[in-house]
Each structure stands twice: as C-alpha cells, then as structure tokens.
Amino acid sequence: MAQGPQAAQEHRNEQPGSGSNPLRMGVFSISPVLAAAWKKGFFADNDVHVVYEQVQSSDQQFQDFAAGNYDVLQTAWDNVVNYRTNASNNLGRPLYAMADFALDLGMGLTVTSPPEITSMEAIRGGEVAVDARNSGYAYVIYYLLEQAGLARDEDYTVVRHGGLAERYLRLSDGFTAATLLSDGLEALAQQQGMNQLADESALGMPYVGSVAAWNGDWYAEHRDVGERFRESYEAALAWVLDPGHRDEVVDLVANVRGLPKPDARLVVDAELGPWGIARDTNIADDAARSVIGLRQQYNGFDDDPVVDPYGKLKPFFVNNGPDAS
C-alpha cells in the first residue's frame, strides 16, 4: 500500500537500523559471516536490523549508493579508493565513500576458464570478462595475465559482464575465455570442469578484498548504528570460525544462497581458506597499499586525485584506518 507524504516523512525520521527502517546493505554475495549475522540473530542482539540487497555490478552498486538506496556496502576496498579519489569514475564525480573494516582477503580470487582453455597462453586473442574495467578486482586479473606474458588490450579483449554471479553464468555458457571468480564460485566452476589457471596467491603481496563501506556524512550522523553493525559482524565472525559450528554454517549457506548441501560445503571450505574471510576485521596498512599499488600500475588514478591515495590512509576510513596511532 502506498504511503502518504506524512507517513513517508515519519519513516525517514525513524532511527536507521530500526525494525521499520532497516539498514540496506548492497551485497555481491552473502558470506558465511553475513549469513550468520542475519540468521543467527547477531544483528538483532545488537538492536540493528539489516536487509541484504543483491547488486549486479560495481557500477550499479555505486550508482544506487550515491542515490541513497544503500546505507552500507559489501564492496572491494579498491572501489572505495576509486570512487573517493577519481572524478573519472562511473558517476563522473568523487563520492564520499569510506571504508570501515575488512570482510575478506579476496575470497580466493581465481583466474577461471572453460574446459577448452587449459593455460594462460590459451587466453591470447580471447575475451576476458570483468565486473568493471577500471574498478574492483579487474586489476588482479590484469596483473596475473601480465605475469603470464599477456598484455591488456593487446593480447586479449576486456569485456564487461557484470558482477560475480553473472560472470560465472557467462563462463559456464562459454561466452568468455577467462574471468576472475571467487566466493566459492571458483570451486563450483572447477567441479563443473572449468579450469583454475592462477589465483591471488600469485600476487606475491598482502591483499584485502571486500570491506564494509559507508557514506562518510551518513556515518558521522549515525556512528552508534555503524559501531553496533561492526560489533554484530565481529560476533558472527567468531561464531563462524568456531570449528564446532561448521556443519551449521554449511546449512546456513545452503539456505541463504539456495545451494545443495554438498555445494554449500564446498563453498564454505573455500571461503574459510587462507584467502577467504578476514579473520581480523582490522585492515593492515601493507594490504591496503598493495591494492592502491595495483590501481596505480594500470593508470587507475586521475592526474589530480581528490584525496591523496599515496599518503596517510585516514581520509579513506570512518575510524582512522590502519595508520592510526
């Protein structure tokens, strides 16, 4: 039923994170920790209510974030850096996006190819699918391909095929020579006969993947809500990491992601691997700067960034960041 203007105004004035005005979180994939925080009541225990909304791509995620359609994001740390510094981003202007804490270390980023592509060299002349050409994890696949002797835009064509789920489907349907999969989808793809050609361990550097991110102005007004959100997540993280809960974690993931239980177990095992869920929500300085270095290597900064990505990292974080003293 449509609300009248007065009712809509009353709703907007209600505390964010309340039952009638929940936090809207734009997510690419519901991790075991996000599943537990929701289904096991860790958010509710801290009196914060969250609704997960599936995003289709980084471009769409940040367009809706800028429009106020999401309160908090599960997004790549690189995306925060891009939209915070570059006027050349998809919005055409910088956005006051700020990171809060680490969610994962990349979730097992893996160069994955269809059965007929059995080596990195075999990608030559083909199409490589990414979420967005100049954001997110695209720089990881460019780097891994370059290590194998393949130069971007010379030895392969970069195509935008949307977020992780869409790229997984397009790979399965044979529409691309390679893409970067993670979040357990790389394990499911391998089970279906796809090839794993390289993974993020070949970066040879510390790395941080997804973070929880906010609009800086919004967070300044609702810091208490943001802090309770983080506390809830960290309680769920501790629960997920307890080996005694593994079977229940598998059941949760099967439920929230609509997977058969054997597939859910495969996904959980992958997401709890060494490059999966961040065991510590604090973001290490060297990991944050590795991501910035990859963006710099592929000319991913405007000539005059709005915020200096090479200096102190405090401007990128709601809680001062890894270089806080």
Side-chain angles (χ1 to χ4, degrees), residues 95-110:
L95 183 67
Y96 194 21
M98 300 185 79
D100 189 354
F101 59 91
L103 299 176
D104 63 68
L105 305 180
M107 284 299 208
L109 295 166
T110 301

Side-chain angles (χ1 to χ4, degrees), residues 52 86 94 98 106 168 186 211 244 295 320:
Y52 299 140
N86 289 327
M98 300 185 79
Y168 172 76
E186 77 287 357
V211 299
R295 172 168 285 278
N320 295 329

Side-chain angles (χ1 to χ4, degrees), residues 25 27 29-46 48-50 52 74 103 107 228-242 245-257 268 271-272 277:
M25 185 175 190
V27 302
S29 179
I30 300 177
S31 72
V33 184
L34 290 175
W38 172 31
K39 291 292 189 178
K40 295 295 294 183
F42 290 101
F43 283 137
D45 288 347
N46 263 338
V48 58
H49 299 265
V50 181
Y52 299 140
Q74 173 205 53
L103 299 176
M107 284 299 208
R228 284 187 280 117
F229 177 91
R230 180 169 183 169
E231 290 169 6
S232 303
Y233 180 90
E234 289 176 340
L237 173 63
W239 184 87
V240 167
L241 295 179
D242 184 335
H245 297 148
R246 180 62 66 92
D247 287 343
E248 193 171 353
V249 171
V250 170
D251 289 339
L252 280 174
V253 170
N255 176 264
V256 301
R257 293 176 66 170
V268 169
E271 295 190 340
L272 291 180
I277 292 166

Side-chain angles (χ1 to χ4, degrees), residues 170-323:
R170 285 182 174 268
L171 182 71
S172 300
D173 291 341
F175 286 111
T176 185
T179 192
L180 204 65
L181 295 182
S182 61
D183 295 78
L185 291 183
E186 77 287 357
L188 293 180
Q190 184 181 40
Q191 183 176 255
Q192 295 172 15
M194 305 295 171
N195 298 310
Q196 295 186 345
L197 303 181
D199 63 42
E200 63 179 294
S201 65
L203 291 173
M205 63 184 77
Y207 191 83
V208 59
S210 295
V211 299
W214 309 86
N215 176 286
D217 290 328
W218 187 99
Y219 192 90
E221 294 180 8
H222 306 289
R223 177 173 289 273
D224 62 321
V225 180
E227 289 176 344
R228 284 187 280 117
F229 177 91
R230 180 169 183 169
E231 290 169 6
S232 303
Y233 180 90
E234 289 176 340
L237 173 63
W239 184 87
V240 167
L241 295 179
D242 184 335
H245 297 148
R246 180 62 66 92
D247 287 343
E248 193 171 353
V249 171
V250 170
D251 289 339
L252 280 174
V253 170
N255 176 264
V256 301
R257 293 176 66 170
L259 295 171
K261 191 168 180 178
D263 287 354
R265 187 171 296 279
L266 198 65
V267 165
V268 169
D269 288 346
E271 295 190 340
L272 291 180
W275 291 95
I277 292 166
R279 270 58 170 178
D280 184 346
T281 55
N282 293 317
I283 298 173
D285 185 271
D286 56 355
R289 293 185 189 278
S290 291
V291 174
I292 291 170
L294 278 176
R295 172 168 285 278
Q296 180 187 26
Q297 181 172 339
Y298 293 98
N299 303 314
F301 289 108
D302 295 348
D303 291 338
D304 186 16
V306 176
V307 181
D308 180 9
Y310 313 114
K312 283 189 170 293
L313 296 179
K314 180 178 178 179
F316 294 94
F317 289 86
V318 296
N319 291 303
N320 295 329
D323 55 10

